[in-house]
């Protein structure tokens, strides 16, 4: 029963990420690659995305705080960030990257800073959603390992009892 509940929670959390427009079909493609050989592919890829994008967001933050702001440099950073988002299907992050980038192209610093804060929020929402999904998945894996261990112990106890009866 616990296994079924965990599976339902994982499915519901994953679906919510799609329903709320946080993820798009590219994440599904990533999951399909995960199923074709490397069981940690999605987690590894999203981990790399978050490491790299967190560094890029920090760089963008510093650049926005410089005076005068180098909008050309910001455009390059946003271009890189937009490309990396595609690897995990982070659609709302992509949308905020585009919006912030457009304000930078217009030279509208205040609007760019406000949009950048929303970009950071979307990045954090995505991260939290994926972390929670992975935690439930890890609980399920631990539960399945415990069930297998219990079954193995039962089998081994049965063999031990059979051996005892032989003597």
């Amino acid at each position: 029963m616990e296994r079924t509940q965990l599976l339902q929670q994982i499915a519901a959390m994953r679906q919510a990420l799609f329903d709320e427009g946080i993820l798009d079909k590219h994440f599904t493609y990533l999951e399909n690659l995960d199923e074709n050989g490397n069981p940690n592919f999605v987690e590894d890829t999203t981990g790399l995305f978050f490491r790299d994008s967190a560094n890029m967001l920090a760089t963008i933050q510093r650049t926005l705080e410089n005076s005068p702001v180098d909008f050309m440099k910001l455009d390059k950073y946003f271009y890189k960030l937009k490309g990396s988002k595609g690897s995990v299907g982070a659609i709302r992050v992509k949308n905020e990257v585009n919006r912030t980038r457009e304000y930078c192209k217009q030279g509208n610093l205040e609007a760019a800073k406000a949009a950048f804060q929303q970009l950071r929020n979307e990045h954090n929402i995505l991260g939290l959603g994926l972390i929670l999904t992975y935690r439930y998945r890890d609980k399920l894996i631990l539960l399945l390992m415990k069930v297998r261990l219990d079954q193995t112990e039962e089998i081994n106890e049965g063999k031990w009892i059979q051996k005892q009866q032989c003597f």
Side-chain angles (χ1 to χ4, degrees):
M1 183 63 161
E2 189 177 357
R3 176 180 181 257
T4 302
Q5 289 174 332
L6 283 172
L7 283 170
Q8 289 171 342
Q9 287 175 327
I10 292 167
M13 292 174 72
R14 180 189 171 281
Q15 189 59 46
L17 293 172
F18 286 95
D19 293 345
E20 294 174 22
I22 296 169
L23 292 174
D24 66 10
K25 64 183 177 188
H26 290 93
F27 189 78
T28 305
Y29 299 151
L30 194 64
E31 289 176 318
N32 290 337
L33 292 173
D34 188 42
E35 294 171 1
N36 292 331
N38 182 354
N40 296 322
F41 185 74
V42 172
E43 198 166 339
D44 293 345
T45 303
T46 55
L48 287 172
F49 166 76
F50 280 105
R51 186 196 68 211
D52 294 346
S53 60
N55 291 336
M56 186 60 65
L57 290 173
T59 300
I60 292 169
Q61 179 74 47
R62 286 190 301 274
T63 306
L64 282 169
E65 292 170 356
N66 289 340
S67 184
V69 172
D70 187 344
F71 287 108
M72 295 290 282
K73 195 179 278 188
L74 282 171
D75 190 57
K76 290 177 186 176
Y77 296 149
F78 285 120
Y79 183 78
K80 287 180 185 177
L81 187 59
K82 183 179 173 182
S84 68
K85 104 58 230 156
S87 65
V88 297
I91 189 67
R92 282 190 2 197
V93 170
K94 175 190 163 203
N95 293 341
E96 290 305 320
V97 167
N98 289 338
R99 194 165 72 97
T100 308
R101 189 175 180 201
E102 189 58 38
Y103 287 131
C104 287
K105 285 180 181 180
Q106 295 169 7
N108 188 342
L109 183 58
E110 292 309 312
K113 285 182 177 182
F116 180 70
Q117 288 309 312
Q118 185 59 34
L119 168 58
R120 291 183 77 101
N121 290 342
E122 293 300 337
H123 185 264
N124 292 337
I125 289 168
L126 172 65
L128 182 60
L130 290 174
I131 287 169
L132 290 173
T133 303
Y134 293 151
R135 284 197 180 150
Y136 275 101
R137 190 201 64 197
D138 290 346
K139 278 184 178 181
L140 178 62
I141 290 168
L142 290 173
L143 176 67
L144 293 174
M145 289 172 61
K146 182 183 179 319
V147 167
R148 287 186 183 135
L149 181 61
D150 290 347
Q151 289 172 346
T152 302
E153 287 176 358
E154 287 175 15
I155 291 168
N156 289 339
E157 286 176 14
K159 289 179 181 175
W160 185 79
I161 291 170
Q162 286 176 350
K163 286 183 183 178
Q164 289 293 329
Q165 292 172 349
C166 291
F167 290 108

